[in-house]
Amino acid sequence: MTLRLFNTLSGQLDELAPADGHSLRMYACGPTVYDYGHIGNFRTFLQVDVLRRFLKLTGTPVRHVMNITDVDDKIIRNAAERGIPIGEYTPQFVDAFFDDLESLRVERPEFIARATEHIDKMVALIQKLEAAGAAYKTEDGSWYFRLAAFPEYGKLSKKDLSGIEDGARVDVDEYEKDSARDFALWKAAKPGETAWDTPIGRGRPGWHIECSAMAMEFLGESFDLHAGGEDLMFPHHENEIAQSETATRKPFARHWMHVRFLLVDGKKMSKSEGNFYTLRDLLLKGYKASAIRMALISVPYRHQLNFTFDGLVEATNAIDRLRTFHVRLVAASLPAGTSEAMQAAAEKARVAYFAALSNDLNTADARAPIFDLVRAANTALDKGEFLAGDRDAVLSVLKDFDAVFDVIEDRDAGPTERAVAWAAQEGREIAPELLARQGLTDTEIDALVAERTQAKKTRNFARADQIRNELAEKGIVIEDSKDGVRWKRK
Ligand code: AMP
Ligand code: ZN
């Protein structure tokens, strides 16, 4: 199965395959840890998760590196405001970020690289650029990359950069939307700022050099794929290419993937618009982490996702349908044999699912045939036409679906518990739905459900009803059906 993925560099769909014929070497820009992650950030990390999971599902192991930017202008500013060193300021946000990834079931990259732990590699790269005549030091002791040293500058973003002023400089870490200037590689220490003593002077690295140095450290000078949100294409990724290719004279990443920004209620997400949400904000409102995952991945990465609360409810219901069906399918007692129609439906869904993801990771087209299959199988089950030999065929399609989407297995209890604990610590308000769901583990629920079945058998209906009500208060619904008893979280 070949994956065709849009490549920003070539401007077309290119086949994505490992150059070494074995594992795909990929780098995805990670977070700058000055605050909690918002849903826009997580949309990008989730789409990269979709990519890595699909590669693995189709037999390609990945060697995936993600950086943590734990030193930059904003971090230094925020830490200074609180009067603490950056090393005391960032860990809470690093921990929160990994908790959030776990809640969203984003797989851990094989390598996590913290900028502050790789300063020597950045310094070595700057020295290499100096030797190539592409880096210069200013009077204050900062270092800059000379754009004129890289005539191909602009090849990724396809910007017309003919008006570049030779020697005009920019030193900020934050996004510079339209200006192409010599950019900071190294910033001289200002009094009181975090700094490292190095052979190129006392200071700290610029943001762009971080990613170049760490990508090459873990993946080599040339590697398969580089990913990030669309805002990073220019200047961050353009600058990474310029530095890396000037230093090595080799192509840096062959394939570039950019995730389109999400809108919230049709608008750019911003604190002043009141439509800015961290993952934690949504969990505390009572939405499940699985629903947030589903909503953020169901729109393909190159399409604009308009995030709405209706969309989250839709995602919640969609997951509910899948989970209910899955439980029914596993528990059903079925007549012997196989049905040709069901076998064909399962195969058709499987083929359509893989074809959609192979086509530029089209998650929307990949979802549709799964729900068609669920509908067809439910109808067949209702009519007694679903046979024992069909069960594995359908379960195997669901398994491939969940290898990427990962929403069917109910693991929402963990994020719920973490959200409640965090809210208590931060004094944040918690939605009643969330509190209701908290408190019982799957094993405890199973035990209560079994006790209720037993109570019914011994005609102790008072106890059976009491258990049902107790569970209902905690948001757990028991359903009795001809296939047996099952429960689910509301
Ligand atoms: P940052 O921590 O700001 O460097 O962002 C981490 C990642 O999230 C980067 O890949 C950004 O491009 C991405 N990102 C930031 N805002 C959004 C958004 N609204 N939609 C999608 N991705 C975003
Ligand atoms: Zn980066």
Side-chain angles (χ1 to χ4, degrees), residues 29-32 34 38 40-41 43-45 175 207 228-232 259-262 269:
C29 291
T32 306
Y34 65 94
H38 59 65
N41 301 139
R43 164 141 162 97
T44 293
F45 298 123
Y175 311 104
W207 172 38
E230 64 175 345
D231 58 319
L232 301 188
V259 180
R260 186 105 188 253
F261 259 36
L262 64 68
M269 185 165 63

Side-chain angles (χ1 to χ4, degrees), residues 423-462:
Q425 189 190 315
E426 297 283 307
R428 291 278 306 260
E429 208 178 302
I430 309 174
E433 298 91 306
L434 184 66
L435 282 176
R437 273 212 312 277
Q438 202 214 355
L440 286 181
T441 65
D442 289 6
T443 324
E444 287 165 338
I445 300 170
D446 285 339
L448 281 168
V449 170
E451 191 192 334
R452 172 175 168 272
T453 308
Q454 192 55 31
K456 275 171 66 177
K457 267 194 200 138
T458 57
R459 309 194 66 74
N460 183 355
F461 296 112

